[in-house]
Amino acid sequence: MSKGSRDRAVKARQIVASQKAAERRRTVTLWTSVAVVLVLFVAGLIGYTVLSGQDEGKVTTPASAVDEGTAFATGAGPVTVDVYEDFMCPSCGNFEAATGPTLKRLATDGKITLRFHPVAILDRFSNGTEYSTRSAAASAAAAEEGKFIEFHDVLYANQPAENTDGLSDAEMIELAATVGLTSDTFKNAVNEGTYKAWATQVTETFSERGHTGTPTIVVDGKTLTGENDTVPSAELITQTVEKAAG
């Protein structure tokens, strides 16, 4: 073989070796990239799962809530009257207008401990805005500011009809301001839905206690109804309270 042929052969082998080396580098680079992507994906997945686990089902129970964190009380009388209500419920609105003043007077006079349980069973009647849940949650925020009764009353005074969007968060905040509830803490709790999971939880407790509709009135642990399972009147509640008090 001539010198020229040998040189060409050597050069050819060098070229092939160089190509193979480049191919190996590309392969290593490719698998390194794949490994990095997999690591990042797994890390992201783990992080998402952890965060989801932290947020999912997180319940912030209002410090002012009583009865296993389900209600807000006024008065300290010997007879306990529990009122389970949904701020979207028309019957609740009627009950509040007809009987609310009597209940609050009995509480003020020291005859009853009045406990309000905001529940959310009528979200399906607010066009997807979950007004029942949002208003119950907002009432919890009001309770934390010492303004549950005031906020409760102004919500009923401006109660939206079923099958409407209900009040927006901004509208509830505006109504709250009319009763002196203006703190940023309250506003943030409403806007951020701080107590929405709580509202869901207390509604589940309502069901677990065997209640099915609102308003439900319980006097000293016994559900009270009027004739033919109607909502009890102010007179019937007063008589029942006096009997329970002895």
Side-chain angles (χ1 to χ4, degrees):
M1 180 181 293
S2 66
K3 183 178 183 299
S5 296
R6 286 197 301 271
D7 291 342
R8 286 194 295 273
V10 170
K11 187 174 182 180
R13 285 195 297 269
Q14 290 174 338
I15 292 173
V16 171
S18 177
Q19 291 174 338
K20 289 182 177 180
E23 185 64 29
R24 284 195 297 271
R25 286 194 297 271
R26 284 196 295 271
T27 300
V28 171
T29 300
L30 173 62
W31 284 109
T32 300
S33 299
V34 170
V36 170
V37 170
L38 286 173
V39 169
L40 291 174
F41 173 76
V42 171
L45 182 61
I46 291 172
Y48 172 79
T49 302
V50 170
L51 289 175
S52 297
Q54 291 174 343
D55 292 338
E56 185 177 357
K58 180 181 179 182
V59 176
T60 301
T61 301
S64 56
V66 299
D67 189 22
E68 300 180 341
T70 66
F72 304 105
T74 182
V79 178
T80 299
V81 177
D82 291 285
V83 179
Y84 293 87
E85 56 188 355
D86 185 314
F87 288 114
M88 177 63 100
C89 165
S91 293
C92 296
N94 293 335
F95 176 79
E96 169 59 27
T99 308
T102 297
L103 289 174
K104 290 161 192 165
R105 177 179 54 78
L106 289 171
T108 300
D109 291 346
K111 294 183 177 181
I112 67 172
T113 297
L114 178 58
R115 303 194 302 199
F116 291 100
H117 300 254
V119 298
I121 62 173
L122 298 178
D123 275 340
R124 64 188 183 280
F125 292 119
S126 57
N127 297 331
T129 72
E130 297 185 336
Y131 176 67
S132 293
T133 293
R134 290 187 298 105
S135 55
S139 75
E144 292 296 80
E145 299 293 302
K147 292 280 189 178
F148 176 82
I149 294 296
E150 294 86 344
F151 186 66
H152 167 278
D153 291 353
V154 80
L155 283 185
Y156 276 122
N158 294 272
Q159 185 181 41
E162 287 183 327
N163 298 311
T164 68
D165 291 349
L167 300 171
S168 67
D169 291 347
E171 288 171 329
M172 287 193 287
I173 289 172
E174 289 177 3
L175 287 175
T178 67
V179 295
L181 188 50
T182 59
S183 73
D184 288 339
T185 300
F186 170 77
K187 294 175 184 177
N188 291 337
V190 174
N191 288 325
E192 295 170 9
T194 301
Y195 299 105
K196 287 177 67 176
W198 169 85
T200 298
Q201 178 174 276
V202 297
T203 303
E204 292 171 355
T205 300
F206 165 80
S207 179
E208 290 166 0
R209 291 178 177 179
H211 305 310
T212 57
T214 53
T216 290
I217 315 304
V218 179
V219 179
D220 265 7
K222 296 182 179 180
T223 301
L224 180 66
T225 59
E227 188 176 353
N228 297 319
D229 289 329
T230 56
V231 177
S233 65
E235 292 75 16
L236 178 58
I237 292 174
T238 300
Q239 293 169 7
T240 304
V241 166
E242 290 175 348
K243 183 177 180 180

